Amino acid sequence: MKILHIMTTPIGLTGISTYIYNIMDYLDTQKNKIDYVFMNQPLNEIQILLKQNNSNYHIIQNRNRKPFSYAFKLNEVLKKERYDIVHVHGNSHTIAIELMVAKKNRIPVRIAHAHSTSTKYFLLHKLLTLPFNYCTTHRIASSQAAGNWLFSKAPFNVVPIGIKVESFKFQLDWRQVHRKKLDIEENEILIGHVGEFNKNKNQTFLIHLMSKLDENFKLILIGEGNLKDEYQQLVAQLKIEDRVIFYGKSREANQIYSAMDMFIFPSYNEGLGLVIIEAQSSDLTCFASLGVPEEANITDQVEKFSLDENLEMLVDRIQKISVNLPDKRKKNINNNKVEKSNYNAKKSIEALEKKYKIFLEESNY
C-alpha cells in the first residue's frame, strides 16, 4: 500500500502528533510506502526516523491563511505520487480541503480521522459539511464522542490512539530526581496537568482549585500557549506563586508523571484525552471532567467530576482521597491494564493497518 498521512495541525507534542509518531514506529514500512504532509518542520529526531523508514515528507504552510495556495501545493504532491490511501487527521469539516484534492486526483481511499470534539472554526465547519461528506470514503475516530462530533449520523470506525505504555511506567528514581529538581517535599502532594494553555484545556479551573486546596498541595502545568501570561497573572492575583509551577513544554513528561501524586484533567471537551491514559499508565490517582470521553477511563480508576460542580465539593473529594503512594505505584497495576488494552500503541497501529486492507478491498481497488 502507498499511504499519505496529512496533519492539519502543527506536529509537536500533541495527541495527534503522538498518533503520527506511533504510525512511524509501528506501521509496517517493509510492506507499505508511507509519506506525510506537515504544516511545520518536524524535530530532527523525527526527520531521522522518516529517513530510516524511507518516508518522504512535505511541508505545506499557510493552510488556514492561504487555503487556495495550500490546496494547489497539495495537488502538486498528489499528482506526482499516486497514493492508494490519503488519511487526513483533523478536528472539523475543514479537512474537506484535503479530501477534495484527494478526490480530484482519484485517490480510491480517502479517510477522515476525527481527533477532537470541538473546533475554533465552527462557521467554516458548518459550511463545508456537504463537500466533506461527498469527498470522504471512510471515517475513523479516536473515540465515540469524536466520531459523533465530526460524522454526525454517518457510520465510522473507532481506532484508539495508543501510547508506548512502558515509557510511562512509574520509576522511583525518576520521582526522586524530578521532585528534587522541582523542590517538592515527600509529604507534599503534587497535582499534574499536561496540555496547551488554551480555553478548552481549562487551566484556570486548576488554578482556582489550587487556591482552595490545603497548603501541602502544589500544581505543575506542563505546556505552553497564548494564555500563559494570563494564567501567570491569575496565579499572582491569588497569591499562590509558590505553589504553581509553570514547567513549559517537555520531552521528559513521561518521567515527570512519576514525580506527580495526582493528575487532574478539567477540559471542556476532548476527542479522547491521551494524557489521562498516560497518567493512568504511571499509576497516578486521576480526576477528569465529564468532557473527557469514558473510553479514556481504561483502568476504572478515574474519578469523574462536573465542571458545574461546586468547587468546594471537589476540593473536599480531592483532599479526602488516598493518593497512590510510591510503594503501591511500583506494583504497576494500572500500567499492566493499559498494556493489555487497545490503547497500547503497537496494538492500535496493527488495528489501523487491518482497517486499511479492508478499506482498499471495499473500494474495489
Side-chain angles (χ1 to χ4, degrees), residues 82-116:
R82 305 304 300 176
Y83 291 103
D84 306 312
I85 298 171
V86 166
H87 186 155
V88 191
H89 303 264
N91 302 316
S92 72
H93 291 164
T94 63
I95 65 177
I97 297 169
E98 289 79 10
L99 295 166
M100 284 190 287
V101 175
K103 183 173 176 58
K104 177 180 178 294
N105 284 276
R106 298 181 180 179
I107 308 300
V109 175
R110 304 180 295 277
I111 302 171
H113 195 144
H115 286 270
S116 185

Side-chain angles (χ1 to χ4, degrees), residues 212-230:
K212 304 286 186 183
L213 288 166
D214 291 344
E215 295 270 322
N216 65 320
F217 284 83
K218 290 189 174 181
L219 172 66
I220 180 169
L221 299 171
I222 299 175
E224 292 286 352
N226 296 333
L227 298 179
K228 183 177 181 179
D229 289 345
E230 180 183 319

Side-chain angles (χ1 to χ4, degrees), residues 175-176 179-180 183-191 214-218 243 259-262 319 321 323-326:
R175 179 179 178 84
Q176 292 168 341
R179 284 178 80 94
K180 184 176 181 180
D183 195 25
I184 305 295
E185 299 295 333
E186 200 53 41
N187 66 333
E188 292 179 320
I189 297 172
L190 183 61
I191 295 172
D214 291 344
E215 295 270 322
N216 65 320
F217 284 83
K218 290 189 174 181
R243 295 172 55 211
M260 301 173 191
D261 299 292
M262 186 181 295
Q319 292 187 159
I321 198 166
V323 299
N324 287 346
L325 295 172

Side-chain angles (χ1 to χ4, degrees), residues 16 36 85 109 135 141 159 186 201 217 221 225 233 238 266 334 340-341 349:
I16 298 180
Y36 302 86
I85 298 171
V109 175
C135 296
V159 178
E186 200 53 41
K201 296 296 182 186
F217 284 83
L221 299 171
Q233 289 171 20
L238 295 172
N334 288 337
K340 293 173 183 175
S341 77
I349 301 308

Side-chain angles (χ1 to χ4, degrees), residues 21-234:
Y21 301 147
N22 290 343
I23 287 167
M24 292 177 191
D25 284 332
Y26 296 115
L27 195 55
D28 191 339
T29 54
Q30 299 300 313
K31 297 178 181 177
N32 307 299
K33 177 73 168 72
I34 308 152
D35 295 340
Y36 302 86
V37 169
F38 302 128
M39 295 175 64
N40 59 314
Q41 193 76 23
L43 295 169
N44 286 337
E45 62 201 75
I46 301 303
Q47 294 179 46
I48 292 168
L49 178 58
L50 290 166
K51 188 173 182 181
Q52 290 171 348
N53 289 347
N54 194 31
S55 292
N56 298 321
Y57 70 94
H58 310 269
I59 310 296
I60 308 180
Q61 298 175 324
N62 297 319
R63 177 182 185 268
N64 298 333
R65 291 193 299 126
K66 298 180 180 179
F68 293 106
S69 172
Y70 168 85
F72 176 81
K73 292 174 182 176
L74 178 61
N75 185 61
E76 292 300 302
V77 172
L78 294 183
K79 274 200 306 185
K80 183 179 178 183
E81 303 284 349
R82 305 304 300 176
Y83 291 103
D84 306 312
I85 298 171
V86 166
H87 186 155
V88 191
H89 303 264
N91 302 316
S92 72
H93 291 164
T94 63
I95 65 177
I97 297 169
E98 289 79 10
L99 295 166
M100 284 190 287
V101 175
K103 183 173 176 58
K104 177 180 178 294
N105 284 276
R106 298 181 180 179
I107 308 300
V109 175
R110 304 180 295 277
I111 302 171
H113 195 144
H115 286 270
S116 185
T117 56
S118 62
T119 178
K120 293 185 288 186
Y121 309 103
F122 192 73
L123 180 58
L124 270 176
H125 171 75
K126 285 292 187 184
L127 290 172
L128 290 171
T129 298
L130 285 176
F132 172 82
N133 289 331
Y134 178 67
C135 296
T136 302
T137 62
H138 295 84
R139 299 165 180 83
I140 289 177
S142 59
S143 69
Q144 191 70 36
N148 290 341
W149 150 255
L150 195 63
F151 307 126
S152 188
K153 296 178 181 178
F156 59 89
N157 295 270
V158 174
V159 178
I161 297 178
I163 63 169
K164 297 174 183 174
V165 185
E166 179 70 24
S167 66
F168 294 95
K169 186 180 288 187
F170 174 79
Q171 303 281 353
L172 186 59
D173 57 341
W174 285 352
R175 179 179 178 84
Q176 292 168 341
V177 166
H178 287 286
R179 284 178 80 94
K180 184 176 181 180
K181 188 189 298 185
L182 297 167
D183 195 25
I184 305 295
E185 299 295 333
E186 200 53 41
N187 66 333
E188 292 179 320
I189 297 172
L190 183 61
I191 295 172
H193 182 272
V194 180
E196 183 184 354
F197 293 150
N198 60 40
K199 294 292 184 185
N200 184 56
K201 296 296 182 186
N202 200 17
Q203 285 93 342
T204 51
F205 181 91
L206 287 171
I207 293 167
H208 284 293
L209 181 68
M210 277 302 298
S211 71
K212 304 286 186 183
L213 288 166
D214 291 344
E215 295 270 322
N216 65 320
F217 284 83
K218 290 189 174 181
L219 172 66
I220 180 169
L221 299 171
I222 299 175
E224 292 286 352
N226 296 333
L227 298 179
K228 183 177 181 179
D229 289 345
E230 180 183 319
Y231 294 161
Q232 288 177 323
Q233 289 171 20
L234 177 60

